[in-house]
Amino acid sequence: MFAERTGYIVWFSDSKAARGLDKYGTLHYMSRKMQYAVMYMNADVAEEAVRNLQRLPFVRKIERSYRNEIKTEYEKNVPDKTQFYGL
């Protein structure tokens, strides 16, 4: 149904040139102060897009986001204590 998406953090040196990063994927956030951008792209074309991004002169470093691999379903092993602190 939905394509597998992968997130990348792209560190750049020129914020004006970094506006063109949306050609390679969906640009989610761009910090001009810290000079990085968060972008998402389809997993099947991600390797080729990263290779093309690394060739750009203003890109310093590219890191893959591990958000897909983090467990987001939590178990409740501790009893709820809020009922003891009621009014």
Side-chain angles (χ1 to χ4, degrees), residues 5-18:
R5 304 282 284 172
T6 308
Y8 286 94
I9 294 93
V10 180
W11 297 90
F12 53 83
S13 57
D14 184 14
S15 61
K16 204 171 210 181

Side-chain angles (χ1 to χ4, degrees), residues 2-78:
F2 291 110
E4 182 77 21
R5 304 282 284 172
T6 308
Y8 286 94
I9 294 93
V10 180
W11 297 90
F12 53 83
S13 57
D14 184 14
S15 61
K16 204 171 210 181
R19 291 185 208 160
L21 289 175
D22 57 351
K23 293 184 228 175
Y24 301 97
T26 304
L27 190 60
H28 180 71
Y29 176 75
M30 189 166 78
S31 171
R32 290 191 176 108
K33 182 178 180 182
M34 295 182 62
Q35 295 189 336
Y36 76 93
V38 178
M39 57 187 312
Y40 291 94
M41 57 189 77
N42 291 341
D44 54 350
V45 297
E47 290 181 24
E48 182 182 340
V50 168
R51 271 189 259 121
N52 291 336
L53 281 170
Q54 287 174 338
R55 292 181 189 149
L56 297 174
F58 59 89
V59 173
R60 287 189 284 153
K61 183 170 67 169
I62 300 174
E63 298 177 3
R64 188 170 61 88
S65 174
Y66 295 104
R67 184 172 181 177
N68 295 347
E69 300 169 13
I70 295 174
K71 186 177 99 172
T72 57
E73 297 173 4
Y74 305 105
E75 299 174 0
K76 186 175 180 182
N77 294 335
V78 181

